[in-house]
Amino acid sequence: MAEFSKLLTKTDIQKRLSLPTKCFKPLPSPKGSHGRDFPAIDESGFAWTFQCSTRKKGHPKPVLSKGWLAFVRHKELKVGDRVKFFKEKDQGGPATPFYRVEAEKEIKIFGVIFGYSPIVAPFP
């Protein structure tokens, strides 16, 4: 089951992936700083490095910045597509978590959203 998923907005595909605060818990904690890198493996087996950060002041809303736009371009994501993140345990270590990311294209038939189809793109 996905830790979180999101339908992408214009800001998500042009600048950064803005996440609801409730999504912050499953992501790596910044631990004293306002940002932290973490790897995520896509459905093709490619490892992406994203940075999860929060605002330095005010409400600590999490966003993915570094690496995110490269992922968007590679997957050719558009407004209305969906992205899902999963937290899993590494088979090699006792409790080392890693993340899996999946992108899905919105499928419309006669202008009506019919569902979503996984995007499996070749390695960049």
Side-chain angles (χ1 to χ4, degrees), residues 18-27 54-55 59-63:
S18 179
L19 302 169
T21 305
K22 67 179 181 174
C23 294
F24 189 61
K25 198 167 192 167
L27 291 172
T54 58
R55 294 179 185 146
H59 185 66
K61 185 174 183 166
V63 296

Side-chain angles (χ1 to χ4, degrees), residues 19 24-25 28-29 36 50-51 63 70 73 75 85 99 103 106 109 121-123:
L19 302 169
F24 189 61
K25 198 167 192 167
S29 169
R36 182 165 176 201
F50 300 114
Q51 183 179 69
V63 296
R73 284 189 298 273
K75 300 291 184 175
F85 280 84
Y99 298 85
E106 181 181 67
I109 299 176
F123 291 119

Side-chain angles (χ1 to χ4, degrees), residues 102-121:
E102 293 180 1
E104 299 176 326
K105 285 277 184 205
E106 181 181 67
I107 299 172
K108 283 186 178 180
I109 299 176
F110 301 114
V112 177
I113 298 172
F114 184 71
Y116 294 87
S117 175
I119 300 170
V120 180

